[in-house]
Amino acid sequence: MPRSVNHVASRARRKRILKLTRGYFGARKNVWTVAKNTWEKGLTYAYRDRRNKKRTFRSLWIQRINAAARIEGLSYSQLMGKLHKAGIEINRKVLADLAVNNPEAFKAIVDKVK
């Protein structure tokens, strides 16, 4: 008796992965094994980079705060130390946004801790 194989399901599974790899270069988009490996590796990169994005943005915020603080005559570390000592709980994301979009408010915060 011939072996029964569910071709519909296996074909659908392959088509799903190949659809996800559309736009990739060369064999990565249309050769099943290469496309599958590339897609799996992409998931690993996505997981890693969701964490790295947080690191990158924190670094950007620190650079923006430092630039704005130096205009006011303080370094980044001095400003953060004085904020902590004054008991002002404001995170770097908000502080960087104020430094870029609302310099008057940033200056008011700096004047309060000086």
Side-chain angles (χ1 to χ4, degrees), residues 63-81:
Q63 289 171 26
R64 287 176 174 176
I65 295 166
N66 190 23
R70 286 185 186 275
I71 291 170
E72 302 299 328
L74 291 171
S75 70
Y76 169 78
S77 61
Q78 290 169 337
L79 174 65
M80 295 311 284

Side-chain angles (χ1 to χ4, degrees), residues 57-111:
F57 268 101
R58 182 181 169 98
S59 170
L60 175 67
W61 298 332
I62 289 171
Q63 289 171 26
R64 287 176 174 176
I65 295 166
N66 190 23
R70 286 185 186 275
I71 291 170
E72 302 299 328
L74 291 171
S75 70
Y76 169 78
S77 61
Q78 290 169 337
L79 174 65
M80 295 311 284
K82 290 182 182 209
L83 281 171
H84 183 70
K85 197 173 281 185
I88 299 173
E89 294 291 324
I90 185 167
N91 64 21
R92 287 164 181 81
K93 181 179 180 179
V94 172
L95 207 53
D97 187 57
L98 288 175
V100 173
N101 297 322
N102 198 344
E104 303 84 32
F106 185 83
K107 184 171 175 27
I109 291 170
V110 172
D111 290 340

